[in-house]
Amino acid sequence: MQTTLDDSWNERRLRRSDVAVLVLTSALLFGYSLFGGRPLTMHEGVLPQSAREMWQEGEWIIPLSGGRPWLERPPLPQWITIGVTSLVGTWDVWSVRIAPVLMGMAVVVMMAHLAAGCFGRSVGLLSGLLLATSFEFTNYAWLAEEDIFLCAVVTGAVSLFAYIEFFQARGEVESDLRFFGSRPWSVWGLFALVGMTNLAKGLVFGMVMALLPIVGFLLLSGDLGRIRRYLWCWGGLLTIAISVAWPIAAWFRHPDVLDLWTFDLFGRLSGNYTAINEPWWYYLEALPVALLPWPLFALLGLGVLSGKGLRERFSPERFFVLWAILPIFVFSLASGKHHHYLVQCLAPWSVLGAIGLKRVGEWIFEAPQWVRSPVAALLALGLPAAIAIGIWGEHLAGPSWLPTALLVGFPVLALCLGWSLRTRDGVLAMTTILTGVIASYMWVYTCELPPRDQCQDDTAFLQQVNDVVPEGTPVLVNADLNSMDAFRIHFYLNHQARCLHNLSFLLDERLEGDDFYLITRRRDAKKLTRIATIETIEESCRSRRESCPSDRLTLFRIHLDRSLPRLPGPTRVSPMQAMGREKGPVLPNPF
């Protein structure tokens, strides 16, 4: 079979130039979030602000929300965020997104190396590029959220297992299979990484995600010798020690955190956590979207590998098929589902996509020359795109010159693709495709996402608050708005924000003074007039998920009624209360 890929592409390791391509591509695409100007999304406020508050308070165990315990998730992402922002020296929107960019790059390079070792250099390089440009992966490498951190740990654990199984010398691994014996560094690392999955996001969740392909492969292999490598006392103790260290420390400080973890974990399984309940087929619909623009290639790759995967028990083909399917199948059994749970599953699908894309490329390179001509590509791709832009171009979000640029750009890319196919130049073909994909992502980030972001007007409001309130004057923030909104408000107001668990705490005897600035909803004005004289200073043009104008964030200047008694406030807020999963505590109601 003739292709333009020389024999070196079949080497089973990446070159330095390949790694450089992956790093530069990932840095360009993921790093665009550092300078694209998009404000923090609603979910993004949690990690940066809880990390900053831990750093400011010198608290390394309990993530904080306005001084309250935020124990939904373990603090590994906060620790990494603190480390990166400390090196940078600033807590800004761009600086808190550096760590997710680095995590995304690490996963891309890791998977490319693994795929190259199993299926050859060309598949390895393609796997990294497809993973980097998969919609769900790109999106979470842009965002300062925990998902990409968990993805890095889970992918690291499963990849290290694959290294042990497929690349490490058998004698080194099997030199001592006793339960209390010794194991090489790679096995120590595997057990450590499995334990670390419990530090990245949600207890048990990440560990199950990592263990499903590992345990599934070992059990289906039916080889007791392979299984005995991992039946190891010291490794098991290491995993347990790492995985339970933080939960135990958090429990000692807040024993009632068990209520929160029980609600979150078992609520997702049983359906009691109704906000994320989805039908069993949810991931069958969500996965193709998460893999865009590569889902058809991934499906083809699944078919290509399944044959050998079914026949050969110990093959990489079987392992990657199991890694792609088992987590999605098992997590489909739970009532609670969300598309961001797929981030941890995309790595094996990128390898399947690379295999499918390479197979399609081989078919096209062997097609008649008229099919591979620049004219055919221009007619098949460039002309329809130009017609679509001519019809709908004026409705595209972005600058006025964008339709013209697209009218020129799409035909040029089509001609380049056609030329690469005619000359059987796989590198030029992939470069052309990736140029179009990455340019599309940048357009989406800059032009399409901002108008859809319901936090835009609230962010502008918070920036106005910083301009209006005199420097050094604290602003009270009613945290009884939405637990995640409070994080964003505190982040943008920086050190000026002070948390009120709810409005009843305005009469807390620990609150000194009578005159304050307060951020809450407009609808709270009537309540406030019962205990204070109020003045409206600023208001958001539109708040996230508002049902009417009274839901809008508003800055009030208030003067508390001196005749009202100040009350002793509660000494603590429980983890369930801090997250809004449980009411209270409330001071004797002044309203």
Side-chain angles (χ1 to χ4, degrees):
M1 183 180 300
Q2 183 181 7
T3 73
T4 60
L5 304 179
D6 59 29
D7 291 338
S8 65
W9 277 67
N10 293 319
E11 296 175 359
R12 294 194 173 272
R13 62 186 180 88
L14 296 180
R15 298 176 179 177
R16 291 181 181 178
S17 59
D18 300 331
V19 176
V21 167
L22 293 169
V23 169
L24 290 174
T25 302
S26 301
L28 174 66
L29 179 55
F30 305 158
Y32 191 67
S33 65
L34 308 184
F35 311 103
R38 186 183 180 191
L40 292 181
T41 65
M42 184 265 289
H43 286 92
E44 268 190 292
V46 177
L47 173 57
Q49 178 55 28
S50 61
R52 182 168 66 179
E53 197 167 338
M54 291 176 72
W55 174 71
Q56 290 172 337
E57 299 296 327
E59 169 62 68
W60 299 103
I61 302 299
I62 308 297
L64 299 173
S65 170
R68 305 167 301 165
W70 184 268
L71 294 170
E72 178 189 27
R73 296 169 183 173
L76 179 62
Q78 280 85 348
W79 296 339
I80 296 173
T81 300
I82 290 170
V84 172
T85 51
S86 297
L87 290 174
V88 174
T90 181
W91 287 86
D92 294 313
V93 173
W94 70 270
S95 64
V96 298
R97 286 175 173 161
I98 294 175
V101 169
L102 297 176
M103 293 296 105
M105 292 169 63
V107 175
V108 166
V109 174
M110 190 189 313
M111 280 309 302
H113 274 293
L114 177 61
C118 292
F119 303 110
R121 177 181 165 225
S122 59
V123 171
L125 184 56
L126 285 175
S127 297
L129 293 172
L130 265 60
L131 179 60
T133 52
S134 294
F135 172 73
E136 197 79 356
F137 192 86
T138 300
N139 190 38
Y140 280 93
W142 279 340
L143 300 175
E145 296 189 33
E146 293 89 346
D147 299 86
I148 198 70
F149 294 86
L150 178 61
C151 179
V153 180
V154 169
T155 305
V158 182
S159 298
L160 188 52
F161 171 79
Y163 166 79
I164 296 169
E165 288 296 309
F166 304 125
F167 307 120
Q168 196 162 11
R170 295 298 82 186
E172 183 180 355
V173 180
E174 298 178 353
S175 59
D176 188 350
L177 295 182
R178 294 173 300 167
F179 183 66
F180 295 102
S182 63
R183 300 291 190 276
W185 68 266
S186 54
V187 180
W188 280 104
L190 172 61
F191 279 93
L193 284 171
V194 171
M196 285 177 62
T197 59
N198 228 31
L199 289 173
K201 180 187 176 183
L203 301 182
V204 181
F205 173 82
M207 188 173 290
V208 172
M209 188 70 75
L211 288 176
L212 280 171
I214 294 174
V215 174
F217 180 78
L218 290 174
L219 292 179
L220 287 176
S221 73
D223 186 336
L224 184 58
R226 287 176 180 264
I227 296 173
R228 287 179 61 199
R229 297 171 194 164
Y230 310 101
L231 295 178
W232 182 38
C233 173
W234 312 124
L237 291 177
L238 177 63
T239 295
I240 293 171
I242 294 174
S243 63
V244 304
W246 179 79
I248 290 175
W251 175 77
F252 268 112
R253 299 268 292 275
H254 299 277
D256 48 354
V257 71
L258 293 178
D259 296 334
L260 174 63
W261 294 337
T262 300
F263 175 86
D264 277 3
L265 179 59
F266 293 103
R268 283 173 167 82
L269 295 175
S270 66
N272 291 334
Y273 190 1
T274 57
I276 59 171
N277 283 351
E278 298 289 350
W280 66 266
W281 63 83
Y282 172 79
Y283 290 125
L284 297 179
E285 297 176 347
L287 182 62
V289 176
L291 289 171
L292 286 173
W294 316 113
L296 294 179
F297 299 107
L299 187 61
L300 174 60
L302 178 64
V304 171
L305 291 193
S306 293
K308 190 172 182 180
L310 288 172
R311 294 191 306 271
E312 299 187 13
R313 292 187 298 164
F314 311 127
S315 64
E317 287 82 357
R318 171 174 287 195
F319 175 72
F320 275 94
V321 169
L322 290 174
W323 188 4
I325 292 176
L326 275 180
I328 293 176
F329 172 76
V330 172
F331 277 79
S332 293
L333 302 178
S335 298
K337 303 177 182 68
H338 200 282
H339 61 83
H340 62 60
Y341 297 164
L342 290 172
V343 177
Q344 287 69 238
C345 303
L346 295 181
W349 285 99
S350 72
V351 179
L352 299 180
I355 291 170
L357 181 60
K358 186 178 180 183
R359 181 64 60 89
V360 170
E362 292 168 349
W363 290 339
I364 293 177
F365 285 161
E366 292 196 341
Q369 187 165 338
W370 66 267
V371 174
R372 298 181 283 107
S373 70
V375 174
L378 185 63
L379 293 175
L381 301 174
L383 182 59
I387 293 173
I389 293 166
I391 297 174
W392 294 294
E394 62 182 16
H395 302 294
L396 292 173
S400 58
W401 50 262
L402 181 62
T404 302
L406 293 176
L407 280 172
V408 175
F410 268 111
V412 169
L413 287 176
L415 287 172
C416 288
L417 182 60
W419 178 261
S420 66
L421 297 178
R422 179 180 180 180
T423 58
R424 295 186 173 91
D425 190 337
V427 174
L428 178 59
M430 197 62 199
T431 301
T432 302
I433 294 170
L434 289 176
T435 299
V437 171
I438 292 174
S440 299
Y441 275 129
M442 290 181 173
W443 165 70
V444 168
Y445 190 94
T446 304
C447 302
E448 279 292 326
L449 292 179
R452 301 170 184 268
D453 188 350
Q454 296 186 34
C455 296
Q456 286 273 74
D457 291 326
D458 282 345
T459 302
F461 161 73
L462 295 173
Q463 291 166 341
Q464 288 176 330
V465 171
N466 282 327
D467 294 335
V468 169
V469 176
E471 186 174 353
T473 303
V475 180
L476 304 179
V477 178
N478 177 18
D480 192 22
L481 306 170
N482 176 288
S483 55
M484 293 187 179
D485 281 327
F487 280 104
R488 283 194 317 108
I489 295 171
H490 278 75
F491 185 86
Y492 278 104
L493 297 185
N494 200 350
H495 59 277
Q496 290 186 260
R498 291 179 58 185
C499 178
L500 282 180
H501 182 62
N502 53 55
L503 291 181
S504 74
F505 280 67
L506 284 169
L507 296 183
D508 190 335
E509 63 184 6
R510 294 168 294 185
L511 189 64
E512 298 179 357
D514 300 316
D515 296 288
F516 304 98
Y517 287 92
L518 170 68
I519 292 179
T520 188
R521 304 287 185 196
R522 185 210 286 185
R523 62 171 176 263
D524 294 324
K526 186 177 294 186
K527 290 181 179 180
L528 293 172
T529 56
R530 300 175 188 173
I531 62 170
T533 303
I534 70 170
E535 176 187 0
T536 301
I537 305 298
E538 295 287 348
E539 182 178 281
S540 177
C541 296
R542 184 177 184 275
S543 283
R544 186 183 66 86
R545 296 180 181 175
E546 69 172 40
S547 58
C548 61
S550 64
D551 292 334
R552 292 175 184 171
L553 293 180
T554 304
L555 174 68
F556 295 101
R557 184 156 49 201
I558 66 173
H559 177 76
L560 291 175
D561 187 343
R562 293 176 182 269
S563 65
L564 292 174
R566 296 301 178 91
L567 304 169
T571 57
R572 71 182 297 270
V573 177
S574 75
M576 286 283 280
Q577 292 167 339
M579 292 194 62
R581 303 276 170 82
E582 191 176 87
K583 294 296 184 181
V586 179
L587 297 185
N589 194 344
F591 305 115

